[in-house]
Amino acid sequence: MADFVQTTVNRTAVRDLAVPIANVTMFNTLVESVIDDNPFGCVGYTGADGQPVAAVVRNREHYTAKVNFLDGEGKRVGTVSIQSPTIAAFNANAAEVMDNAALEAAMGGEAVRNAPGETYYAQLKCHDPSGDDYYVTFTRKTVRLSSYQDEAIRGKVETWADTVGSLE
């Protein structure tokens, strides 16, 4: 019988943030800074389809808005969560729920945005000069580095994160 032979070592490392990222604008600024500034020294490459691929790209993302409905005594009588594929959709969908009089009437309370309960998720795919692809995933409360093989990659990401005040 044949044995399984390990061919690669893929690692994951997580940094829990002491304070959640305050809002979607700050979150997006952080993610865009990694894409624009390429602090990890990633390199572009040509994909299997022959098309150029940037050094750092958004691999996937989603944003969840939360709206509570409060009765006249301030008691929560309902809640709505809306997961959206982009920040623009997140903002538009939240505004739509907030401005929906029929939904407020059906819930029996006033719509109030629950900003602390909202979640943000953006995963970046990075192409290391060694040829390895790895992922840096941001949420409001964590930064996760995954699918990396070389510890030097973790070192680059960690060194960068140490310089970003919101990632302490």
Side-chain angles (χ1 to χ4, degrees), residues 69-100:
F69 292 85
L70 307 179
D71 66 13
E73 297 173 5
K75 179 182 174 194
R76 186 174 66 196
V77 294
T79 188
V80 172
S81 296
I82 303 170
Q83 188 177 79
S84 303
T86 65
I87 291 172
F90 166 84
N91 289 326
N93 289 334
E96 184 67 29
V97 170
M98 292 293 295
D99 294 339
N100 190 318

Side-chain angles (χ1 to χ4, degrees), residues 9 30 65 89 107 167:
V9 176
L30 175 66
M107 288 286 197
L167 299 183

Side-chain angles (χ1 to χ4, degrees), residues 4-126:
F4 282 89
V5 178
Q6 182 175 338
T7 57
T8 61
V9 176
N10 289 320
R11 298 178 171 106
T12 298
V14 178
R15 176 179 280 205
D16 292 320
L17 306 181
V19 177
I21 296 172
N23 57 52
V24 76
T25 301
M26 291 177 67
F27 183 84
N28 191 52
T29 298
L30 175 66
V31 171
E32 282 297 320
S33 75
V34 174
I35 294 169
D36 295 343
D37 301 339
N38 188 8
F40 316 134
C42 297
V43 296
Y45 63 100
T46 302
D49 60 359
Q51 297 299 311
V53 178
V56 181
V57 296
R58 286 183 192 250
N59 190 52
R60 61 178 69 118
E61 62 186 319
H62 59 82
Y63 306 87
T64 303
K66 302 270 187 169
V67 177
N68 291 335
F69 292 85
L70 307 179
D71 66 13
E73 297 173 5
K75 179 182 174 194
R76 186 174 66 196
V77 294
T79 188
V80 172
S81 296
I82 303 170
Q83 188 177 79
S84 303
T86 65
I87 291 172
F90 166 84
N91 289 326
N93 289 334
E96 184 67 29
V97 170
M98 292 293 295
D99 294 339
N100 190 318
L103 186 56
E104 274 190 339
M107 288 286 197
E110 178 185 357
V112 176
R113 189 89 177 252
N114 178 4
E118 295 179 338
T119 61
Y120 320 137
Y121 174 96
Q123 183 183 70
L124 303 180
K125 182 178 180 182
C126 304

